[in-house]
Amino acid sequence: MAIMKSLLTQLRRPAARPAISDPGTGKLDILSRLPFELHIFILALLGPNDVDAGLTACRYWRSIWLSDEIWPKLARRWYPDLEAYIRKVVVGDQDMGEMFRQALHKIQRRISGKFASALHHELKLESEQFFTLSKGVPVLEGGVHCYNDVDGLGIDPSDPFTPMPRFMMYDNGRIAWWPEAYPLPYLAVVDDLRTRKRRIYLFPDHEDEKRGYRTAMSNKLLLMGRGRILHAWHLELDQYASVEVPEDFVRCNPEGETVLIVTKTANVFVWKFGQELQYLDTTGCYDKAPVGIAHPYDFISGQYRSSQNVGSRLASGVLLDFIISPIEDNVFFVITYNPAPRKELRIDEIRNGQVTETYRLDGSKLANLMPDPVDFTNLRWEKINFYGGYCLMQAVSRTPHTPHDSSCPADSSILVSVCFNIYTKAFTTPHYHHMGCFQNQSLSQIRNNRIAASDTDGPPGLVMTFRPCGGVPDLHENPGPTPFYIAVTSERDCLLRRQRIPSDSDGWDGDFVLYADQLFSQTSIDYTPLNTSQIPGVRRLVGDDDFLLLVVHQSYIVWSFGDNIPRNIADGGRSRWRKLIR
């Protein structure tokens, strides 16, 4: 009732709209006769998944619920930062209500766990049953058109001395991995789930050098650099470009076609693909000092982040990181964290070369969550939604004996995340407790205010998502037991389909559970190396709204929530005809 009163006080009756009649009979639909106030009453009782379904079910409901009087209130109720993003990216007369509907559908698709298809695959070169090697990149520009053209590349699975491949990065449906990470660190493979194309890139003029490579990937570019030279391949255009930096660099941070390059002396340069290098003045953001890479292991034991996501550490002890605005040109965010005793997180916004705003989060703000807030050891940004949310740093601690938040259990393990939205400029600190089914060592990924977790000591193919602690409960989101989904083989192609199975899940209190342990147990690769704790990238959990990817050693399973993985290419157009017939 409080929610309904809140909505009624903010809303005004929209302009009258013509009632929609049934195209077959010409009679008025009974839903078209509902008064505006009754729509408000209905919306007050619905959760986001129900509204998403209602927008699909009835055109008249869609015209009312997506009106300028209602959709912003729904966005603020469930996803407070989404409205600001829509208003920022809207172009001309573009329908913001429809933009909200598409965004809501995308978010609910991931939160529900009802994947459209799944793929279990191994990081191997000798098999092209799913991905087809592309020859779009010329050999003279680093493209590889045949495996045998690469000296020292062993693809014989029976060879006991063949080095193990290593997963490196994921972005926008593309998986980047190194077939032989240590003997051949200058050879990268990028598999595109949406097109089923495989591209292989060889660092030009590498001279068989084994050390010092810097790599990164965005939704547009793959980057490999060493010393002062940075090479870039456009993943959509199959074009190549390179740039030389005035001094050796230690990190390259891409977003779209824009790259921030950080040198050993903490100077920063901006490079847009195919254009000239430009210097970025960061005066006033931090004191220049020699730059090193922060410790590669993340805040949770057993969880590994690639160098793309790990920030830098200045000789002064200050942690340093950067964010590039995805939708605005020449807008950057410089992130610094001063460790104890200050424990201050600071973000400077740079627009067109000038520092325009500074945002701060004092470490004392975390005292209510942790009795003695630990010092964060790393900065690394990770997108937590598509509308400007970033997780900047995380730490594992324990809740106080008497928690400030009554929903938090006392003296329990807690994962605290510090997040920032670059459009609303708001800090949030969502926190999650390890469930009884998980140990402290677990992989995790935050997306849409949910955390997906996989226990490193448990079954290799189990992923569970649940809500942050202390949030406002929505009784309409998930009233039943936690659903368990497995991926089973399909008779039509190599993709897997979803199947819900009965489970004893009353005590799990999660959004959903994805279980694929049976797939990893069938793989031909030995998953018990001599010392797995010393092998980086053994297990990773990454993804976005379209895909969720769980990497276990040299094999992975990817769940597609939007049916973005095409069916068997050899099937031609028959699958499309089947859909039309059905």
Side-chain angles (χ1 to χ4, degrees):
M1 185 62 68
I3 296 177
M4 184 183 70
K5 290 181 178 179
S6 175
L7 285 173
L8 284 173
T9 57
Q10 300 179 57
L11 299 178
R12 58 183 176 85
R13 180 186 290 272
R17 291 176 172 81
I20 299 177
S21 61
D22 185 284
T25 63
K27 297 181 179 179
L28 267 178
D29 189 332
I30 187 63
L31 298 177
S32 304
R33 302 178 182 179
L34 293 178
F36 179 72
E37 290 76 12
L38 190 53
H39 282 280
I40 301 304
F41 181 79
I42 293 173
L43 289 172
L45 299 176
L46 299 181
N49 56 330
D50 301 316
V51 171
D52 179 40
L55 290 172
T56 305
C58 179
R59 289 180 296 162
Y60 186 74
W61 285 28
R62 180 182 297 190
S63 68
I64 293 292
W65 295 1
L66 297 182
S67 64
D68 292 338
E69 293 81 9
I70 292 184
W71 78 260
K73 311 305 185 298
L74 297 177
R76 294 171 203 164
R77 175 181 168 190
W78 297 317
Y79 308 105
D81 301 324
L82 181 57
E83 180 191 3
Y85 170 79
I86 292 176
R87 295 191 183 281
K88 184 172 287 288
V89 301
V90 66
V91 178
D93 296 332
Q94 195 173 2
D95 189 346
M96 290 189 290
E98 177 61 19
M99 294 172 64
F100 169 73
R101 185 195 69 80
Q102 295 177 5
L104 180 66
H105 181 69
K106 177 185 290 189
I107 294 171
Q108 293 307 308
R109 194 174 58 188
R110 165 71 188 262
I111 290 179
S112 70
K114 296 179 179 179
F115 58 92
S117 61
L119 171 70
H120 178 239
H121 204 264
E122 297 182 15
L123 300 177
K124 286 184 176 182
L125 290 178
E126 63 270 17
S127 174
E128 290 192 2
Q129 295 180 356
F130 188 81
F131 296 103
T132 302
L133 183 61
S134 172
K135 300 180 181 180
V137 180
V139 174
L140 295 178
E141 296 181 354
V144 176
H145 295 178
C146 179
Y147 301 142
N148 295 328
D149 293 342
V150 182
D151 294 335
L153 180 60
I155 61 173
D156 184 2
S158 63
D159 185 359
F161 300 103
T162 299
M164 291 187 295
R166 174 181 171 185
F167 168 84
M168 291 292 286
M169 298 169 287
Y170 168 87
D171 198 297
N172 193 35
R174 296 186 179 96
I175 301 170
W177 57 283
W178 271 226
E180 299 182 355
Y182 299 103
L184 303 176
Y186 40 77
L187 182 69
V189 178
V190 178
D191 291 334
D192 193 330
L193 294 169
R194 288 188 171 90
T195 63
R196 297 179 62 164
K197 289 184 178 180
R198 168 172 292 172
R199 294 173 173 85
I200 302 183
Y201 305 92
L202 188 65
F203 192 96
D205 301 323
H206 56 80
E207 298 179 350
D208 203 28
E209 182 60 49
K210 309 292 186 185
R211 297 178 179 273
Y213 292 92
R214 312 299 179 190
T215 60
M217 185 171 69
S218 70
N219 62 333
K220 301 285 188 180
L221 303 178
L222 173 71
L223 304 173
M224 281 199 293
R226 184 179 179 275
R228 299 184 179 184
I229 304 298
L230 178 63
H231 301 282
W233 292 270
H234 202 292
L235 298 170
E236 295 179 354
L237 304 178
D238 281 337
Q239 294 180 356
Y240 163 81
S242 64
V243 65
E244 184 174 358
V245 186
E247 54 185 300
D248 288 355
F249 66 92
V250 296
R251 191 182 180 203
C252 46
N253 183 3
E255 176 65 53
E257 297 182 351
T258 304
V259 185
L260 281 180
I261 305 173
V262 185
T263 69
K264 287 185 176 181
T265 57
N267 288 317
V268 183
F269 295 87
V270 180
W271 180 58
K272 296 184 179 181
F273 184 81
Q275 299 184 19
E276 296 295 326
L277 189 71
Q278 296 182 353
Y279 176 75
L280 180 65
D281 186 5
T282 57
T283 302
C285 299
Y286 56 88
D287 295 329
K288 298 290 180 64
V291 179
I293 298 297
H295 196 282
Y297 288 93
D298 209 345
F299 324 96
I300 308 172
S301 177
Q303 184 174 1
Y304 180 83
R305 298 284 178 184
S306 70
S307 58
Q308 178 187 6
N309 285 336
V310 176
S312 303
R313 182 185 293 272
L314 301 179
S316 60
V318 174
L319 302 180
L320 178 66
D321 208 346
F322 302 88
I323 291 176
I324 305 172
S325 174
I327 64 173
E328 297 178 286
D329 288 335
N330 300 317
V331 177
F332 311 96
F333 297 86
V334 181
I335 310 165
T336 54
Y337 177 73
N338 287 282
R342 292 180 62 183
K343 294 186 178 182
E344 180 187 68
L345 178 66
R346 168 175 165 168
I347 301 178
D348 292 289
E349 182 177 356
I350 300 179
R351 288 181 173 268
N352 298 317
Q354 301 293 325
V355 178
T356 57
E357 295 289 344
T358 298
Y359 315 95
R360 290 181 172 88
L361 179 68
D362 192 278
S364 61
K365 300 286 182 64
L366 303 175
N368 292 332
L369 300 176
M370 302 178 286
D372 182 20
V374 297
D375 211 10
F376 295 91
T377 57
N378 276 344
L379 269 181
R380 60 108 177 114
W381 62 259
E382 183 179 21
K383 293 181 181 180
I384 58 174
N385 53 50
F386 69 89
Y387 46 91
Y390 291 80
C391 176
L392 304 181
M393 54 188 187
Q394 292 178 313
V396 172
S397 184
R398 300 195 66 83
T399 55
H401 182 68
T402 305
H404 178 79
D405 190 337
S406 59
S407 62
C408 295
D411 297 320
S412 63
S413 179
I414 183 174
L415 172 64
V416 178
S417 303
V418 178
C419 303
F420 181 78
N421 190 283
I422 63 174
Y423 304 131
T424 62
K425 314 301 190 296
F427 287 100
T428 55
T429 55
H431 51 288
Y432 306 84
H433 295 275
H434 289 290
M435 308 298 292
C437 54
F438 291 132
Q439 304 298 321
N440 285 347
Q441 296 190 13
S442 59
L443 308 177
S444 63
Q445 190 233 6
I446 299 176
R447 193 74 185 181
N448 298 320
N449 204 32
R450 301 293 201 275
I451 187 168
S454 179
D455 190 0
T456 58
D457 297 327
L462 188 145
V463 176
M464 178 181 177
T465 70
F466 46 94
R467 305 172 185 84
C469 191
V472 178
D474 193 328
L475 301 179
H476 307 284
E477 282 196 356
N478 190 15
T482 301
F484 269 61
Y485 299 115
I486 63 172
V488 297
T489 57
S490 172
E491 297 179 356
R492 293 186 298 165
D493 47 45
C494 60
L495 296 183
L496 307 173
R497 60 182 177 86
R498 182 184 75 249
Q499 179 178 324
R500 182 169 179 173
I501 60 174
S503 62
D504 183 15
S505 59
D506 292 341
W508 290 61
D509 192 26
D511 288 311
F512 62 87
V513 173
L514 301 176
Y515 187 73
D517 188 39
Q518 78 283 4
L519 298 175
F520 289 106
S521 62
Q522 296 171 3
T523 183
S524 60
I525 296 180
D526 180 11
Y527 290 109
T528 57
L530 295 178
N531 191 354
T532 57
S533 63
Q534 301 300 318
I535 300 179
V538 166
R539 297 186 68 167
R540 291 288 302 276
L541 186 63
V542 294
D544 46 36
D545 290 327
D546 294 326
F547 299 100
L548 180 62
L549 178 71
L550 174 64
V551 182
V552 180
H553 299 265
Q554 290 79 51
S555 177
Y556 64 83
I557 182 171
V558 56
W559 294 276
S560 170
F561 297 97
D563 203 13
N564 292 305
I565 305 178
R567 299 288 174 178
N568 195 340
I569 296 177
D571 184 50
R574 287 177 291 180
S575 61
R576 292 191 293 269
W577 282 109
R578 292 192 192 101
K579 291 182 180 179
L580 290 174
I581 294 173
R582 290 197 297 268

